[in-house]
Amino acid sequence: MCNFFYGIIYFFMNYFETIQWLFDHLPMYQQQGTGAYRPGLDCMEALCIHLGQPQHTFRSIHVGGTNGKGSTAHMLASILQEAGYRVGLFTSPHLKDFRERIRCDGSPIEESFIVTFVAQHKNFLEQGGFSFFEMNTGLAFDYFKEKRVDIAVVEVGMGGRWDSTNVILPMVSVITHIGWDHMKSLGDTLVNIAREKAGIIKAGIPVVIGPSIADTQSVFLGTAREKKASIYFVEGKKEFSYEMPLQGDCQALNQGTVLKTVEVLRSLNMHISEEVLMTGFRNVLANTHLLGRWQCLQEIPKIICDTAHNQDSIRWVVRQLSHESYENLHLVLGFVQGRDVSQLLSYFPIEAFYYFCQPGLPRRFSIEMLKEITEGVYDKSAYFLTVSQAFSAAKKQAGNKDLIFVGGSTFVVAEVL
């Protein structure tokens, strides 16, 4: 019994040491920002060759865009699971556990697989100067090959043209709503951002475009014509066609994108019945364990968190908050650098109680910086060095009929979860 106990301790230490090595030794966008972003696919292609081209051993759906790509990917994975397919799901970033990024039929990748993968390829990863996301993508593809998935839903990390995931040849590409994000890397106009996103459109491969504006539509149309790819546009409807636990106008738009994608998949002989659609949407949280999208943590007082972190998604969140009933609104907010924080804050109601904080990562928008742009602006504001301190203060202050919202950054939500 003692040997078994110590074996278990060693295994978990080995896993956590492996994850820490990845964080410490591979450039990571979440930690370093644009310094970890490297345009070009040469390194990713070299890694795929080293791994035996695992990305060619399964069918896939490629999901890019600015807002809604994660939710859209999870919905598609849930529907395909309900249809009886063995489904891989690759998304980023994670909120609680690294293993959230890579799933097979909803279950996270095994710790032992990660440990073995890194041990086998550690020297190659170090010598090749690979980024954290390139490693993560290679790990996902290798895992999906091992699991013999029927199809993998692969979410773009950032952009599209030079994203590590853009080495797959999918059945269909999907591009959700285009908005302002990662401008330093992708461009300072929606047209330029759309051009980067359109980089996932492949020759002869159909593409579904979520709700879009005329300027970005022209970019997608031009790329699709050039690539001889069939293109399908989603109308900007805001009504739910199917019941599901993900709420809000933005999720209704995402559902429309998913429905159009399912139409294309059916034309490619994927068997997805009407009953499967209903259960896939209804069971999306149970099937894929999606976190942080208008997630209610408790009812009294009501606590909601959302990972919205750019202009369009914050506007969606604030609009959704306006539909809620409460006596007082308490906002636990923190941000990362690279955002126009003053612009994001301008969308929130000024009369709320504000609990400003900083997430625990190098790219955090520091509490000193927050003070500089907010002090004297809000009558009811307080500043905290950690997310947990801010969250505790909000819970202590809030009455039973109040509402606490946690957001501003994916990493603030991650710390609360």
Side-chain angles (χ1 to χ4, degrees), residues 77-256:
S78 178
I79 290 165
L80 291 166
Q81 283 176 228
E82 292 288 351
Y85 295 103
R86 191 168 180 80
V87 182
L89 177 61
F90 178 49
T91 58
S92 61
H94 64 274
L95 293 180
K96 296 174 68 175
D97 183 351
F98 172 84
R99 297 186 305 140
E100 296 167 27
R101 295 167 176 256
I102 303 169
R103 294 181 181 275
C104 179
D105 285 343
S107 298
I109 183 173
E110 294 87 354
E111 294 172 347
S112 57
F113 192 95
I114 299 169
V115 171
T116 301
F117 179 90
V118 173
Q120 287 178 344
H121 306 293
K122 187 175 180 181
N123 290 338
F124 185 80
L125 293 171
E126 283 185 308
Q127 293 168 8
F130 295 96
S131 71
F132 177 87
F133 192 72
E134 286 166 339
M135 179 286 308
N136 198 7
T137 306
L139 170 64
F141 293 165
D142 200 51
Y143 184 66
F144 296 154
K145 175 185 176 181
E146 174 73 18
K147 288 293 185 179
R148 299 183 179 180
V149 301
D150 298 311
I151 189 166
V153 183
V154 178
E155 180 194 3
V156 170
M158 185 174 72
R161 182 165 59 119
W162 300 127
D163 188 74
S164 301
T165 62
N166 206 25
V167 295
I168 60 174
L169 190 64
M171 297 180 68
V172 58
S173 303
V174 182
I175 301 176
T176 63
H177 174 74
I178 301 299
W180 301 97
D181 207 356
H182 303 302
M183 281 87 80
K184 287 185 178 180
S185 300
L186 306 181
D188 57 2
T189 69
L190 289 181
V191 168
N192 287 338
I193 293 171
R195 286 195 184 106
E196 292 298 320
K197 307 289 185 181
I200 70 169
I201 299 175
K202 304 289 195 307
I205 303 297
V207 58
V208 174
I209 307 297
S212 52
I213 61 174
D215 286 348
T216 58
Q217 282 184 4
S218 64
V219 171
F220 299 132
L221 277 169
T223 305
R225 277 196 295 266
E226 179 187 332
K227 300 285 187 180
K228 295 181 172 57
S230 302
I231 187 167
Y232 303 86
F233 287 98
V234 178
E235 296 179 9
K237 295 180 180 179
K238 294 185 180 179
E239 300 85 26
F240 284 102
S241 300
Y242 296 85
E243 174 191 356
M244 66 175 182
L246 299 174
Q247 295 302 307
D249 290 344
C250 60
Q251 296 297 356
L253 294 176
N254 294 333
Q255 189 180 85

Side-chain angles (χ1 to χ4, degrees), residues 337-392:
Q337 295 182 39
R339 311 287 180 195
D340 186 342
V341 174
S342 295
Q343 182 69 47
L344 297 181
L345 285 171
S346 71
Y347 301 126
F348 289 97
I350 199 165
E351 68 275 7
F353 289 88
Y354 283 80
Y355 305 79
F356 293 113
C357 56
Q358 56 185 20
L361 74 163
R363 283 181 58 225
R364 64 179 176 264
F365 197 86
S366 72
I367 204 66
E368 292 78 18
M369 296 163 72
L370 271 172
K371 277 185 179 180
E372 188 175 327
I373 65 173
T374 61
E375 221 164 17
V377 177
Y378 304 97
D379 292 334
K380 298 171 286 189
S381 62
Y383 301 88
F384 302 87
L385 290 174
T386 68
V387 173
S388 61
Q389 289 172 350
F391 188 45
S392 295

Side-chain angles (χ1 to χ4, degrees), residues 216-409:
T216 58
Q217 282 184 4
S218 64
V219 171
F220 299 132
L221 277 169
T223 305
R225 277 196 295 266
E226 179 187 332
K227 300 285 187 180
K228 295 181 172 57
S230 302
I231 187 167
Y232 303 86
F233 287 98
V234 178
E235 296 179 9
K237 295 180 180 179
K238 294 185 180 179
E239 300 85 26
F240 284 102
S241 300
Y242 296 85
E243 174 191 356
M244 66 175 182
L246 299 174
Q247 295 302 307
D249 290 344
C250 60
Q251 296 297 356
L253 294 176
N254 294 333
Q255 189 180 85
T257 303
V258 170
L259 290 172
K260 181 63 70 174
T261 305
V262 167
E263 286 181 25
V264 175
L265 290 173
R266 284 169 169 166
S267 73
L268 298 172
N269 297 319
M270 297 288 286
H271 301 292
I272 303 170
S273 68
E274 190 67 14
E275 181 181 357
V276 159
L277 269 182
M278 292 175 61
T279 54
F281 282 123
R282 188 169 58 242
N283 296 337
V284 60
L285 296 184
N287 285 342
T288 69
H289 308 282
L290 177 62
L291 297 171
R293 272 65 167 188
W294 200 254
Q295 183 175 348
C296 184
L297 303 182
Q298 71 176 50
E299 288 291 343
I300 302 176
K302 194 167 189 178
I303 302 176
I304 293 172
C305 66
D306 195 281
T307 56
H309 56 271
N310 56 44
Q311 291 185 33
D312 287 339
S313 59
I314 290 288
R315 279 200 294 260
W316 282 114
V317 158
V318 173
R319 190 176 298 123
Q320 197 69 25
L321 282 171
S322 70
H323 298 158
E324 294 285 335
S325 297
Y326 52 80
E327 285 189 354
N328 296 291
L329 177 62
H330 303 261
L331 301 172
V332 178
L333 300 176
F335 305 90
V336 295
Q337 295 182 39
R339 311 287 180 195
D340 186 342
V341 174
S342 295
Q343 182 69 47
L344 297 181
L345 285 171
S346 71
Y347 301 126
F348 289 97
I350 199 165
E351 68 275 7
F353 289 88
Y354 283 80
Y355 305 79
F356 293 113
C357 56
Q358 56 185 20
L361 74 163
R363 283 181 58 225
R364 64 179 176 264
F365 197 86
S366 72
I367 204 66
E368 292 78 18
M369 296 163 72
L370 271 172
K371 277 185 179 180
E372 188 175 327
I373 65 173
T374 61
E375 221 164 17
V377 177
Y378 304 97
D379 292 334
K380 298 171 286 189
S381 62
Y383 301 88
F384 302 87
L385 290 174
T386 68
V387 173
S388 61
Q389 289 172 350
F391 188 45
S392 295
K395 288 191 291 183
K396 185 176 180 179
Q397 178 72 19
N400 286 345
K401 295 183 179 180
D402 290 353
L403 172 62
I404 300 173
F405 174 79
V406 180
S409 164

